[in-house]
Amino acid sequence: MIAGEQALAKRSCMLFSSPDDPVDVWVPELQRNLPEVEFRVAPELGAAADIDYAIVWKPPAGLLASLPNLKVIFSIGAGIDHILADPERPKALPIVRMVDPYLRDMMCEYALLGVLHFHRFMPEYQADQQARVWQRRWPHYTPEMTVGVLGLGEIGAKVAESFRQLGFRVRGWSRGEKRLPGIECFHGRAALPVMLSACHYLVCVLPLTGETAGLLDAAAFAALPRGAVVVSIGRGKHVVEPDLLSALESGQVGGAFLDVYASEPPQPAHPFWRHPRVIMTPHIAGEIVPKSSAKVVAANVRRHLAGEPIAHVVDLARGY
Ligand code: GLV
C-alpha cells in the first residue's frame, strides 16, 4: 500500500451508546468479532467525524445527529421505537433492528413460561402451598387449548412453532398474510376478533407501530374466551392498561404475564404490582446478549464494508 492509499484507508469506527447495557461486556465482544474496527463509547466521542456506525439503545436526543459521517444505526433491540423517539435522528440513515437467534429463543422460553404458568395452575398451586393445602386440579387437555400469537415475524413465527410442538392448537395473527405449517394464520385488523375468539392464551410479540399501539383494548379482551390469559412481551403500549385491569377484575381475562408496560418502570402505585392474577417482570423476556448479538452485528458491518446489502434494515414506512 502506498502512502496516499494508507491515508485514505481510515479504520472504520463504531460508537456504542446504551444506558442499560454493560459496556464492559459489549465492547470487548464487538472488538473480538470486529478487530478491524475501532470502538468508542458515548459520551466520549473523540472526533465525531470519524464515526461510521453507531450501536445504540435509547440514544440521547441529538447524539446520532451529531455524527456527520454516520452511515448505519444498529439497534440494541429487536424494537427500534427507542431510536425513533429521538426527534433529531438523521432520517435518511438505515436503522438495523436486532435479529438474533438467541434473543428469539429467549422470547420463546418466556412465552412458554407465561402460558405454562397458567396452563398448569401455578397461581392456584402457589396459593395452596401458602395454605398448606394438598389439592389436585383436573388438567386442561393441551390439544384442545389454543394459543394465539400476535405477530408472526422472526420472533412470533418461532413462538407459534414452539407451542405447536408442545401440542397446543396455535393461531397466529399478522399485519400481512403469512402461511406457517400447522398454524392457523389470520391477517388484518378485521380478522383480529375472529382470531381472538378461540384463544385461551394470547401472546403478543408485535412490534410497536402506529397500527399496533393500543391493539389490546377492551374490545380485544372481550373477543377472547372468558378467562383467557394474556402474555405481553412486545411493547407495553400494545396494551391499554386500564382495559386490561377491568378485564382482570371482571374475570374476562383470567391472568396476565407481563414483561412490558406503558411506562417503564411502572409507578409504585400501579395496580399491576399487587394484582393477584398478574405476574410482572422488568422487560427481560428477550435480552440482547453480546455473546450472540455481537456476531450478528459483525456480520452486518462486514457486509456493509464489502459494499453488500445489509440485512434487517427497518422499513420505516412499515415501522419495523
Ligand atoms: C427489547 O425490548 C428489544 O427490542 O429487543
Side-chain angles (χ1 to χ4, degrees), residues 86-97:
D86 171 5
E88 294 165 55
R89 155 187 76 84
K91 307 277 185 309
L93 289 186
I95 301 177
V96 178
R97 65 199 169 100

Side-chain angles (χ1 to χ4, degrees), residues 57 75-82 98 103 233-235 260 283 286 288:
W57 172 252
S75 167
I76 308 179
I80 54 137
D81 46 321
H82 62 105
M98 186 65 79
L103 161 71
I233 56 178
R235 285 290 185 265
V260 287
H283 202 140
I288 311 287

Side-chain angles (χ1 to χ4, degrees), residues 14-18 21 26 30 53-59 64 72-84 89 94-100 103 235 287-289 293-294 296-297 300-301 310-314 320:
M14 179 180 267
L15 180 72
F16 176 91
S17 173
S18 167
D21 294 282
W26 258 105
L30 283 168
Y53 306 108
I55 178 162
V56 296
W57 172 252
K58 296 184 186 162
L64 299 169
V72 185
I73 302 166
F74 291 93
S75 167
I76 308 179
I80 54 137
D81 46 321
H82 62 105
I83 297 172
L84 301 185
R89 155 187 76 84
I95 301 177
V96 178
R97 65 199 169 100
M98 186 65 79
V99 176
D100 173 3
L103 161 71
R235 285 290 185 265
E287 300 279 28
I288 311 287
V289 177
S293 300
V296 173
V297 175
N300 236 344
V301 168
I310 39 182
H312 310 304
V313 173
V314 170
Y320 57 96

Side-chain angles (χ1 to χ4, degrees), residues 1-9:
M1 195 183 271
I2 56 170
E5 274 175 327
Q6 218 158 11
L8 283 176

Side-chain angles (χ1 to χ4, degrees), residues 1 8 13 17 23 31 40 50 122 148 160 168 182 188 191-192 197 200 223 243 258 265 274 279 287 291:
M1 195 183 271
L8 283 176
C13 182
S17 173
V23 62
Q31 190 78 77
R40 299 202 187 146
D50 293 345
M122 286 314 289
F168 287 93
L192 185 64
S197 65
H200 304 102
D243 290 2
L258 307 175
R274 299 186 63 80
I279 302 277
E287 300 279 28
K291 267 190 175 43

